[in-house]
Amino acid sequence: MISLESGAILILSGPSGCGKSTLLKELYKSIDKYYFSISTTTRAPRVGEKDGLDYFFVTKEQFEEGIKNGEFLEYAEVHGNYYGTSLKPILNALGENKLVIFDIDVQGQDIVKKSELSKYVTSVFITTPSLEVLKTRLYSRATDNNDVIEKRIKNAVIEVESINKYDYIIINDDLQKASRELVGVAQSAMLKTSLFSKDYIVANWLS
Ligand code: ADP
Ligand code: 5GP
């Protein structure tokens, strides 16, 4: 089990269908204290998705009210819907020294990396070995209609252009290998020097 002495943020991005949710389920088996950031979205729930568990599903008006009230650490329009991360639960989880996990798009990663929480952030871009494999996964997952899938594929082609903005990359081909790699990235995320007080560590070391 990995444990943490300071809160940290791990951002996962990557084309819809690359396997982020699948890999996260594997990661949770290895982490002691984590909090998955439940985003708010205006997209309709998929079959099997639950409000407050997968997302907070709201109307466009409710989302725009949240923007006006400054509730979001970041938000973006993705595939024609709003998606955003509420700040308050993130601060609570960091205060409890948890690894806070975000599944957000490349626009969201840009914003969080420039935010006041940047010192906590490690980011990883996850993708399939090829566009063809992504298409196969999206169609065989069968959770979206063809129009939605086509939109996601178009967006994927744009998103992969941003891989250099990330700290790490994982090609999710073999699931077991990619899972091990994600555990490694999570471990590194929790060891960033920026998470620790140098003065405290040095004083302790000298005493
Ligand atoms: P995301 O959360 O990134 O949208 P999912 O985790 O829902 O993606 O994965 C999309 C589909 O691909 C699912 O049907 C999942 O079972 C499958 N999948 C995930 N990883 C792999 C893998 N390494 N090899 C084959 N299929 C995979
Ligand atoms: P999906 O509709 O497949 O659940 O998610 C579509 C995309 O929206 C994914 O790329 C996912 O990472 C992104 N996303 C989900 N939540 C958020 C969020 O809170 N903020 C941002 N910027 N993107 C998000």
Side-chain angles (χ1 to χ4, degrees):
M1 279 288 167
I2 306 169
S3 61
L4 188 60
E5 285 170 27
S6 153
I9 292 175
L10 178 62
I11 298 180
L12 271 74
S13 302
S16 183
C18 70
K20 298 182 294 295
S21 315
T22 309
L23 286 168
L24 278 176
K25 281 190 199 125
E26 293 300 309
L27 178 66
Y28 296 152
K29 296 176 189 166
S30 315
I31 310 184
D32 201 7
K33 280 165 74 179
Y34 71 87
Y35 169 75
F36 177 72
S37 166
I38 302 168
S39 297
T40 301
T41 184
T42 58
R43 92 148 155 74
R46 291 186 188 127
V47 175
E49 280 185 332
K50 290 200 172 63
D51 186 44
L53 199 66
D54 300 285
Y55 281 104
F56 295 107
F57 295 100
V58 299
T59 62
K60 194 164 176 265
E61 290 69 31
Q62 286 169 321
F63 198 100
E64 286 171 349
E65 191 62 27
I67 297 174
K68 240 198 295 175
N69 295 335
E71 281 171 23
F72 296 113
L73 166 63
E74 64 76 34
Y75 68 91
E77 209 177 315
V78 190
H79 315 132
N81 284 299
Y82 279 130
Y83 292 81
T85 307
S86 296
L87 180 59
K88 225 173 170 182
I90 304 305
L91 295 179
N92 290 342
L94 287 175
E96 292 166 0
N97 296 343
K98 289 182 176 161
L99 178 68
V100 184
I101 298 169
F102 291 14
D103 173 350
I104 60 176
D105 83 326
V106 295
Q107 306 170 79
Q109 194 249 186
D110 279 352
I111 298 168
V112 181
K113 271 209 161 167
K114 289 180 191 141
S115 76
E116 76 265 35
L117 298 183
S118 61
K119 72 166 192 172
Y120 294 102
V121 176
T122 296
S123 65
V124 54
F125 193 91
I126 299 177
T127 187
T128 48
S130 68
L131 183 58
E132 275 317 299
V133 174
L134 182 70
K135 286 181 187 170
T136 310
R137 285 196 195 159
L138 279 172
Y139 280 104
S140 54
R141 185 170 68 180
T143 49
D144 300 293
N145 66 41
N146 289 1
D147 283 356
V148 171
I149 290 180
E150 284 309 315
K151 222 186 240 182
R152 281 158 194 266
I153 289 166
K154 274 204 187 114
N155 199 45
V157 174
I158 300 166
E159 279 187 317
V160 289
E161 294 292 333
S162 293
I163 54 171
N164 285 333
K165 295 181 177 171
Y166 285 76
D167 300 313
Y168 297 98
I169 177 161
I170 294 176
I171 310 285
N172 178 22
D173 188 1
D174 176 87
L175 186 61
Q176 293 315 314
K177 180 171 177 280
S179 299
R180 281 196 302 276
E181 288 171 350
L182 187 58
V183 171
V185 169
Q187 282 170 328
S188 307
M190 293 186 270
L191 295 172
K192 277 177 87 112
T193 49
S194 59
L195 299 175
F196 299 91
S197 155
K198 183 208 73 175
D199 292 347
Y200 175 78
I201 290 174
V202 173
N204 244 359
W205 186 77
L206 289 172
S207 66

